[in-house]
Amino acid sequence: MSSHIKKQKTIFGQNQYFSPGRPGTYNPGFSLLRLKRTTTTLETKKTELFILLLEGEITIALDESPETYTFKRSSIFKDLPSGLYVPPGKKVTIQSLRELSEAALCFSSELQRGTNDGNALQPMACRSGDVVVRDVGQGSYRRKVMTTCGAKGETRTLLVGETLSEGGMWSSYPPHRHEKNELPMENKLKEI
């Protein structure tokens, strides 16, 4: 089953496109955050969150930490991605330091009770030097896949990255699916 989002006007603030699903559904959430030299605060509650900077400059602060994280990016086409992984149960304040900053807010589905017990997840800055870059495909479906967060098992269920395809290239060819865990042929996940 596929979802199609009709073009809509993006306003300043948080523009939610998909809400995170209930525990065990593998349904991620996605919002676009657009800030104009302003600050916004949100809570992760039962979900993991990755704040992926698309353009601009932002600082991110977590409620219980004196440390702040700063990220800059001129364009998704010029710079490698970067951002901050935030575990469940955290309050996050994001401030734009430029006239316009945009970030993708990538949420996991809600984690099941007990999933985050014992081995606690930690906030983690993922810088452009940490990005795993792979050239995949060939011919008319050649593309660059840049995995920013989750490739090394530092999250419970969240895997975040970008795919960059040159003009005229296909991004999801050959046809494939992610309905079962049968590695290396297929792994169960939902893509946005």
Side-chain angles (χ1 to χ4, degrees):
M1 180 178 188
S2 65
S3 297
H4 178 74
I5 301 174
K6 293 182 180 176
K7 185 177 180 182
Q8 52 188 308
K9 184 178 178 183
T10 303
I11 59 172
F12 286 98
Q14 185 177 346
N15 298 270
Q16 187 173 44
Y17 294 98
F18 293 104
S19 297
R22 292 213 173 290
T25 61
Y26 294 97
N27 290 333
F30 179 82
S31 296
L32 179 65
L33 182 65
R34 206 162 191 234
L35 298 175
K36 189 175 186 175
R37 288 203 188 273
T38 55
T39 301
T40 190
T41 301
L42 54 102
E43 292 185 48
T44 57
K45 297 183 182 174
K46 297 179 183 178
T47 64
E48 295 174 280
L49 166 65
F50 189 75
I51 303 163
L52 177 70
L53 182 61
L54 301 175
E55 181 178 0
E57 183 176 2
I58 59 174
T59 61
I60 304 170
L62 300 175
D63 56 349
E64 77 286 343
S65 173
E67 184 176 4
T68 59
Y69 304 87
T70 301
F71 300 95
K72 296 178 188 178
R73 193 174 189 190
S74 60
S75 161
I76 59 173
F77 299 106
K78 293 179 182 173
D79 302 324
L80 286 173
S82 63
L84 183 70
Y85 168 76
V86 183
K90 303 290 182 191
K91 188 174 182 180
V92 181
T93 301
I94 305 166
Q95 179 181 11
S96 173
L97 301 176
R98 293 198 185 158
E99 194 59 34
L100 172 66
S101 295
E102 289 186 321
L105 303 178
C106 309
F107 296 91
S108 69
S109 55
E110 291 182 2
L111 296 181
Q112 294 181 359
R113 177 178 238 163
T115 306
N116 195 25
D117 298 346
N119 188 10
L121 298 168
Q122 297 298 317
M124 181 181 61
C126 300
R127 306 287 178 188
S128 56
D130 302 323
V131 176
V132 177
V133 180
R134 295 182 344 214
D135 290 317
V136 299
Q138 58 188 335
S140 63
Y141 58 95
R142 186 179 67 252
R143 59 203 179 271
K144 185 175 290 198
V145 176
M146 299 167 284
T147 306
T148 311
C149 172
K152 300 171 187 154
E154 65 274 56
T155 67
R156 286 287 183 266
T157 62
L158 197 59
L159 179 66
V160 178
E162 297 175 349
T163 300
L164 184 60
S165 299
E166 298 292 329
M169 298 289 182
W170 290 94
S171 185
S172 61
Y173 186 87
H176 64 284
R177 61 186 184 186
H178 297 284
E179 296 173 1
K180 302 182 237 175
N181 278 324
E182 292 181 359
L183 294 172
M185 299 304 293
E186 180 180 349
N187 62 329
K188 186 172 184 172
L189 60 87
K190 297 280 176 85
E191 295 179 303
I192 295 179

